[in-house]
Amino acid sequence: MPLWIAATLSAALFQTWRTALQQRLRGQLSVNGAGVVRYLYGIPFGLILLGGYCLLIGDAPPAILGWGFLLYAALGGLTQIIGTNLLIMSFGPRGFAVGTAYSKTEAVQGAILALVLLGERISLLSTLGIVVGVCGVLYLSLAGRNMTGRELLRATVQPAALCGFGAGTGFAVTAIFIKSANLELDHPDAVLRAITTLCVANAMQTVMQGAWLAWKEPEQFRAVFRTWRDSFPVGALSACGSACWFTGFALAPVAMVRAVGQTEILFTLLFSRFYLKESLKRQEVLGALGIVAGVVLVLLGR
């Protein structure tokens, strides 16, 4: 099995597990507080991964971090913060699995943005994927409801949908910035570049969101340290998941990584049912799978 496939499958599992733990933190922390813990407590694990990999290969990380790298890492860190916050916010109205499913429109949004901004042509298969994905979102939004046309329009802009779509946008842009940062590093080992990017981005994210939290929610800032027993596993899983995602981006095209990463929805459904004890309706499961099918078709048509 190619390393990038193993890394992507591992990333999907780590991310689902981390998001499930982060969802439970919402009872103790605000959205920003739950976001900070993944970066703050991820720093030591990122450094352990970096040190361990350097010992394994007998080499050191890149000595020079240029301004281009730092800019891309900062932008990638910021868009990931925004995407993560929106994802956490989407859980409340409809639940863990549904909120994550909405964020899976990430690849569809990426295809549309590439067409508009970069002039990339979309194949017939990709167009079909977009249609399937939109239908999956609508079905997920309207499952089990008999609605008029006006009610239908309102349902498509409910808070869960808006936050999920916003999270997808944030994650799509993050992948682009992170891969750009990785390519700015002058080192032949792509995995070492990926872990180095992780450590720098994590430090920047801790400063950015931590400063905001200390300014706007000082009580939550203190709570981040009081809840260290529950927050520490979130940071560990976050660091491992991001290291795997960044490694996948470094070794293969972003589209291919995201296509394999759609297995995350399968892990999500399992966590939602057996860990968070949420009852999933058959219509919600079908809608979520419809979104995933649409995303896969978009990526296959590239």
Side-chain angles (χ1 to χ4, degrees), residues 187-199:
H187 197 284
D189 192 311
V191 177
L192 183 57
R193 296 200 310 266
I195 302 176
T196 301
T197 303
L198 163 68
C199 292

Side-chain angles (χ1 to χ4, degrees), residues 149-170:
R150 180 175 297 180
E151 290 172 336
L152 175 65
L153 182 61
R154 285 201 300 266
T156 58
V157 293
Q158 61 179 290
L162 294 177
C163 290
F165 285 136
T169 302

Side-chain angles (χ1 to χ4, degrees), residues 54-205:
C54 287
L55 289 175
L56 179 66
I57 65 174
D59 202 349
I64 300 177
L65 305 179
W67 289 109
F69 166 78
L70 295 175
L71 176 61
Y72 284 130
L75 291 174
L78 179 59
T79 52
Q80 188 178 45
I81 287 173
I82 295 172
T84 300
N85 278 16
L86 289 172
L87 179 61
I88 296 173
M89 291 167 63
S90 74
F91 294 156
R94 294 296 301 275
F96 173 68
V98 175
T100 302
Y102 277 124
S103 72
K104 294 296 101 184
T105 60
E106 162 197 347
V108 176
Q109 294 184 62
I112 295 174
L113 288 173
L115 173 64
V116 174
L117 300 177
L118 303 177
E120 293 181 354
R121 294 182 179 181
I122 296 180
S123 68
L124 180 60
L125 186 59
S126 291
T127 302
L128 176 61
I130 292 174
V131 173
V132 171
V134 170
C135 290
V137 170
L138 290 176
Y139 187 76
L140 191 59
S141 302
L142 308 174
R145 301 182 183 183
N146 296 316
M147 293 188 166
T148 65
R150 180 175 297 180
E151 290 172 336
L152 175 65
L153 182 61
R154 285 201 300 266
T156 58
V157 293
Q158 61 179 290
L162 294 177
C163 290
F165 285 136
T169 302
F171 295 142
V173 176
T174 296
I176 296 172
F177 282 138
I178 290 301
K179 179 145 193 171
S180 298
N182 190 293
L183 294 174
E184 287 287 326
L185 290 175
D186 184 19
H187 197 284
D189 192 311
V191 177
L192 183 57
R193 296 200 310 266
I195 302 176
T196 301
T197 303
L198 163 68
C199 292
V200 174
N202 256 13
M204 290 180 167
Q205 289 168 314

